Amino acid sequence: MEAKQTSLHLGNQDSIQNQPPAIFFRPFESSRTDFDAVMDFGSDQHVNRTLQFDLFTGRDDAVRFIETIILPHPWFRFICLSDATDDRPIGSIVLRPENAGGGRRRVSIGYSVVPELWGKGIATVAVRMAVAAAFEQWPEVERVQALVFLNNPASQRVLEKAGFQKEGVLRKYLVSKGELIDVAMYSFIAADCRAF
């Protein structure tokens, strides 16, 4: 499966040093490979430290996550390397349309990549591709937004490289692992596409 090409220009393409590997998105499939990927992501302490859900301790946690989060999700995609010999996921990305009082005017985005591929520009490319998909799939959308833990500066850089603007800090906004935490709010609006 090839990544869908888009002519939408999202952010400064030159800001990624050394071209990142080519990627594509695909949906979750009921396969051993995808189950193992979910289990690996959910039980990885490095990935999990900046996610809201608890670390997976067994297969039941992965099954519950697949049944309650992935399968009913409106837009969950695995990130895969285009030049890999298989389509084993190296990360995931989600878009969730939200009603902003007058219909679906905004979409929230979330993403993760396996730690061994951090710092290679993959998350930035994936965010750009997902933003393009959001504006294409839901033409009424005016805003794509992301909440990022303040203790995750790398994820904040991903969003900034993808053209997002930091809007501020929301204090004691989310509960993560039983603790109220501060998050940064980032946004990319439809007009930002035309600004580049």
Side-chain angles (χ1 to χ4, degrees), residues 128-141:
R128 288 178 179 153
M129 289 170 57
V131 167
F135 288 126
E136 184 176 314
Q137 185 165 343
W138 299 290
E140 67 279 14
V141 164

Side-chain angles (χ1 to χ4, degrees), residues 11-17 124 128 160-162:
N12 182 355
Q13 298 288 340
D14 299 327
S15 67
I16 299 175
Q17 298 174 344
T124 301
R128 288 178 179 153
E160 290 163 359
K161 288 179 181 180

Side-chain angles (χ1 to χ4, degrees), residues 143-146 163-167 185-189 192:
R143 171 189 175 90
V144 178
Q145 64 186 26
F164 280 66
Q165 299 294 314
K166 185 175 184 178
E167 295 182 332
M185 170 65 84
Y186 280 83
S187 71
F188 188 103
I189 61 172
D192 293 338

Side-chain angles (χ1 to χ4, degrees), residues 17 78 95 106-107 139 146:
Q17 298 174 344
F78 277 129
L95 296 172
R106 68 177 175 240
V107 170

Side-chain angles (χ1 to χ4, degrees), residues 54-159:
D54 291 330
L55 196 65
F56 292 176
T57 58
R59 294 178 52 83
D60 288 346
D61 293 335
V63 169
R64 191 170 27 262
F65 187 80
I66 290 167
E67 290 175 347
T68 61
I69 303 295
I70 293 176
L71 293 178
H73 202 286
W75 201 94
F76 173 95
R77 301 293 186 270
F78 277 129
I79 304 167
C80 303
L81 293 172
S82 295
D83 61 356
T85 57
D86 60 20
D87 65 351
R88 180 165 175 76
I90 57 150
S92 64
I93 193 158
V94 296
L95 296 172
R96 180 176 298 283
E98 299 176 358
N99 187 332
R104 291 182 178 168
R105 298 288 184 178
R106 68 177 175 240
V107 170
S108 290
I109 188 170
Y111 49 89
S112 64
V113 174
V114 295
E116 56 268 23
L117 294 174
W118 288 353
K120 299 194 180 306
I122 292 169
T124 301
V125 171
V127 167
R128 288 178 179 153
M129 289 170 57
V131 167
F135 288 126
E136 184 176 314
Q137 185 165 343
W138 299 290
E140 67 279 14
V141 164
E142 288 291 331
R143 171 189 175 90
V144 178
Q145 64 186 26
L147 295 174
V148 183
F149 291 12
L150 287 184
N151 67 350
N152 192 353
S155 190
Q156 293 181 53
R157 283 191 301 276
V158 163
L159 293 168

